[in-house]
Amino acid sequence: MHQRSAVPFLPIVFLTLSCSAPNREQVPESFDANVHIAAWVELWNTRDLDRLDELFLDDSRVTYFSSEYEGLIKGPAAVREHHEGFGFVAGGAEAEQQLWVEDVQSSVFGSTAVVTAVWLFGDRTAPPDSVQRGPMTIVYTWTDDRYRIAHIHFANYEPNS
């Protein structure tokens, strides 16, 4: 006859529940999208590769859809390589053109914040219709006592004729 081993059920349930989600008390009640977007815009305008580790989640599941290249960029090393392709270097570099965003909107879902905006890139003094631009989405997740980027998606609007 087969005997079952006695395994305490309650500790397993408790362990599973305690590891399944961040403690809601640790996640701030508000998310200031403008502060987080400003940090990301500064990253782009200073071309400082060192800032990537500060802003992005250090996790192999980080993803990035570029407006410049086809395909999904996945993982911190690939995100770093992508930025190096745009002239990002440790300590930063001078940028000839600037990036800025408009129409920033955000929604918070527990420990996740979703930010949407329109990005613009080029000569900031030029008319908006004459610079590269498009919609963007950044997904932030709460980890290590702060929000960090887990996913970015960029697209391009068709240039005006």
Side-chain angles (χ1 to χ4, degrees):
M1 172 153 75
H2 181 64
Q3 285 187 330
R4 290 186 172 182
S5 61
V7 178
F9 180 72
L10 187 57
I12 293 172
V13 170
F14 176 75
L15 179 61
T16 302
L17 291 175
S18 66
C19 295
S20 63
N23 182 345
R24 290 243 187 258
E25 294 172 13
Q26 296 173 349
V27 178
E29 289 185 23
S30 64
F31 173 83
D32 190 339
N34 290 317
V35 168
H36 292 281
I37 288 292
W40 177 79
V41 167
E42 182 182 344
L43 163 76
W44 263 93
N45 289 333
T46 62
R47 304 288 195 275
D48 190 352
L49 200 56
D50 296 331
R51 299 281 317 272
L52 285 176
D53 296 335
E54 174 188 331
L55 299 179
F56 281 83
L57 187 63
D58 184 17
D59 189 299
S60 62
R61 297 171 293 174
V62 167
T63 52
Y64 193 115
F65 278 114
S66 173
S67 63
E68 300 296 318
Y69 301 102
E70 244 181 77
L72 179 66
I73 299 164
K74 191 167 185 180
V79 169
R80 180 175 291 282
E81 184 179 324
H82 176 71
H83 285 80
E84 287 172 340
F86 286 104
F88 283 61
V89 296
E94 189 172 331
E96 289 183 28
Q97 298 187 17
Q98 294 291 302
L99 176 105
W100 66 100
V101 296
E102 296 177 348
D103 195 26
V104 176
Q105 307 285 320
S106 68
S107 297
V108 177
F109 304 92
S111 61
T112 301
V114 177
V115 178
T116 60
V118 174
W119 62 270
L120 298 98
F121 184 75
D123 178 356
R124 200 168 179 141
T125 62
D129 290 347
S130 68
V131 297
Q132 189 178 5
R133 61 192 183 93
M136 62 181 279
T137 302
I138 301 180
V139 178
Y140 291 87
T141 188
W142 180 257
T143 184
D144 299 327
D145 296 328
R146 62 186 165 159
Y147 280 101
R148 297 178 82 179
I149 298 170
H151 174 76
I152 293 183
H153 185 181
F154 293 96
N156 286 313
Y157 288 141
E158 289 293 321
N160 291 340
S161 303

